[in-house]
Amino acid sequence: MKTIFLFLSLIFVLSLNAETKKRIFILHSYSQEYGWTKSQHDSFVAKLENSLSLPVEISVEYLDTKRLGFTNGYQDFFSDYLQKKYMNYHPDAIYVTDDNALKFFLNHRTLFNDTPLFFSGVNDVSLSHSLDPDKYTGVFETKDIVQNIELIRQFSPQTRDIWIVGDNSTTYRSIESEIRSHIYKYPKYTFHFIASSRIDEIISKMPSTQKSFVLLTTIGELRDLSGNTLTLKESIAKLGKNKNLILCSMEDAYVFGGVIGGFVTSGKLQGENAAEMISRYLNGTPFIHLRSIVKSPNTYMFDRRALVSSRLILSEYTARNSIILHENKTFFETHQEMILNAIFIFVSFFLLFIVIVFFIAVQKNDQYKKIKNALE
């Protein structure tokens, strides 16, 4: 009888867990190893798991459109693939990253049609006016040209030319349009837009004067002469061969290999904000109350080594509000865990010593009283 009771209890617990478990379907525009995608995904999952008390089951797919063209034929193929693979799958929420994944669902909304969709990393801000608020919400991504121009002016007041570089993708064209809407405020500057999917064409148009400031917008779809898509590491290494250039970034995934950084879009913050929205929804907040975040959660990020190599100095104010990579840490920062452990051990032994001394003193006091009483 006891065995039957335990068996029924186990079935009840398992069925309860199956009912309360939340399923999230994720579709990324790019590959799982693309830095921007990886940053959004990892921060999204970590934030979601910390925000929800319920277990989460996550299913992930990748369009990989940095390598493959986002054509109608490819979209139809991918839609058929998902329809077959997830025939009996019913997610509680959909999460997509970047423009192509969102556009895929806008073009093929029969897939999980009744499931609310959350997004991050979407550059086409004009969609904020056309998306159905009953089905779509998320975090937009905008490159902030104004903050980066001010940063360049801080680094080099005499500079008057700024080169803006991108891979001529759909994402780049959205970014360029946004940048052009702001640069009229800076009539003293000349902005040179260099956009191509071929890195050799971009390199051939780069300036040859020393200390030329270059802003990298999006370069994930750059290709070599053979048409092969380059990794970010390969692209930045090729651009970095021109020692006249000071490479600044408008995206956190590019801050390495000699790129000094800048006021960047943050994959981490994009993913965290999207996870916060989904967790609120799954915890009971009506979807219609979760409005899209149009102001991109950007941040200052710099590589200390690249700054030193380029002989650039951050103002104290900017440095205080920045993420600094490869920062020279103090002795305490470097050995913080070891020092704190040593302090904890020392305090523990000191307290133990005090307790022992106290009990010895109490014991001796009792003995003294007994001897005194005996003599009396």
Side-chain angles (χ1 to χ4, degrees):
M1 187 69 182
K2 185 177 180 181
T3 303
I4 295 174
F5 176 76
L6 290 173
F7 178 72
L8 292 174
S9 299
L10 179 60
I11 291 176
F12 174 75
V13 170
L14 290 174
S15 63
L16 185 63
N17 180 64
E19 291 174 1
T20 57
K21 178 171 60 178
K22 297 300 180 181
R23 293 181 174 88
I24 311 295
F25 177 82
I26 299 177
L27 179 64
H28 293 300
S29 294
Y30 313 129
S31 75
Q32 63 267 40
E33 293 306 317
Y34 187 63
W36 174 253
T37 297
K38 188 174 179 62
S39 178
Q40 287 183 90
H41 180 86
D42 291 348
S43 60
F44 172 84
V45 172
K47 180 71 173 181
L48 191 65
E49 290 179 344
N50 287 333
S51 302
L52 284 176
S53 57
L54 301 171
V56 180
E57 177 187 280
I58 294 176
S59 299
V60 189
E61 297 288 343
Y62 301 86
L63 283 167
D64 200 10
T65 55
K66 291 292 185 186
R67 189 173 62 87
L68 300 167
F70 190 57
T71 63
N72 290 334
Y74 178 59
Q75 291 185 61
D76 291 340
F77 158 78
F78 205 84
S79 177
D80 290 341
Y81 157 72
L82 293 181
Q83 293 279 8
K84 290 181 174 62
K85 182 175 180 178
Y86 295 94
M87 185 180 300
N88 298 312
Y89 178 75
H90 304 287
D92 295 285
I94 301 169
Y95 171 52
V96 302
T97 63
D98 299 287
D99 295 61
N100 286 348
L102 176 58
K103 289 176 181 177
F104 173 82
F105 268 101
L106 290 174
N107 296 336
H108 300 85
R109 201 56 178 101
T110 54
L111 188 67
F112 314 137
N113 188 41
D114 297 326
T115 305
L117 185 147
F118 299 79
F119 60 82
S120 68
V122 171
N123 296 98
D124 190 353
V125 181
S126 66
L127 290 173
S128 62
H129 305 295
S130 59
L131 291 174
D132 184 348
D134 291 328
K135 289 187 176 181
Y136 303 90
T137 191
V139 190
F140 284 96
E141 174 204 351
T142 54
K143 312 291 192 201
D144 196 324
I145 185 63
V146 173
Q147 293 281 58
N148 281 294
I149 293 172
E150 294 297 334
L151 187 64
I152 291 172
R153 181 155 63 182
Q154 177 192 129
F155 284 142
S156 179
Q158 71 276 15
T159 291
R160 288 294 177 267
D161 292 272
I162 298 174
W163 279 261
I164 297 171
V165 172
D167 56 19
N168 205 32
S169 60
T170 303
T171 300
Y172 167 78
R173 289 191 289 274
S174 294
I175 295 170
E176 181 181 328
S177 177
E178 176 68 16
I179 290 174
R180 287 186 182 277
S181 70
H182 291 285
I183 59 177
Y184 73 90
K185 303 171 187 175
Y186 296 91
K188 293 183 179 179
Y189 286 86
T190 300
F191 296 90
H192 308 268
F193 290 86
I194 304 176
S196 174
S197 61
R198 288 179 49 182
I199 196 166
D200 57 302
E201 291 183 359
I202 288 177
I203 290 173
S204 67
K205 297 175 182 178
M206 284 296 190
S208 56
T209 54
Q210 287 189 341
K211 294 197 76 170
S212 297
F213 284 85
V214 174
L215 275 173
L216 303 178
T217 58
T218 182
I219 57 172
E221 293 186 34
L222 291 179
R223 301 174 186 273
D224 61 17
L225 289 171
S226 301
N228 300 312
T229 303
L230 299 170
T231 65
L232 290 180
K233 186 176 181 180
E234 290 171 331
S235 296
I236 289 173
K238 288 180 181 293
L239 293 171
K241 287 182 179 179
N242 185 343
K243 299 305 178 184
N244 293 314
L245 308 181
I246 296 177
L247 298 176
C248 305
S249 177
M250 301 180 78
E251 184 173 311
D252 61 352
Y254 305 159
V255 187
F256 68 93
V259 177
I260 67 167
F263 192 66
V264 300
T265 52
S266 167
K268 181 176 184 293
L269 294 177
Q270 289 277 330
E272 287 180 349
N273 276 267
E276 176 65 24
M277 297 175 83
I278 286 188
S279 64
R280 287 175 60 196
Y281 168 71
L282 295 178
N283 283 325
T285 301
F287 185 83
I288 196 66
H289 293 168
L290 300 169
R291 300 294 185 180
S292 291
I293 299 173
V294 179
K295 183 174 176 55
S296 184
N298 298 345
T299 186
Y300 283 109
M301 177 181 285
F302 300 97
D303 186 321
R304 175 66 71 188
R305 295 172 186 172
L307 286 171
V308 171
S309 177
S310 301
R311 298 180 180 178
L312 298 174
I313 300 174
L314 285 177
S315 70
E316 183 179 345
Y317 173 79
T318 303
R320 191 186 313 127
N321 296 282
S322 301
I323 298 170
I324 307 294
L325 307 178
H326 304 123
E327 179 72 290
N328 294 326
K329 295 183 178 181
T330 64
F331 179 83
F332 176 77
E333 291 172 328
T334 303
H335 305 283
Q336 182 176 358
E337 185 176 354
M338 183 179 68
I339 293 172
L340 291 177
N341 287 338
I343 292 173
F344 175 77
I345 293 171
F346 173 79
V347 171
S348 298
F349 274 107
F350 179 75
L351 292 175
L352 180 63
F353 173 76
I354 295 296
V355 171
I356 292 172
V357 169
F358 173 77
F359 279 110
I360 291 174
V362 169
Q363 190 176 27
K364 286 188 174 181
N365 187 50
D366 289 342
Q367 290 177 349
Y368 173 75
K369 287 180 179 179
K370 288 178 181 179
I371 295 173
K372 184 178 180 182
N373 292 333
L375 292 174
E376 290 177 355

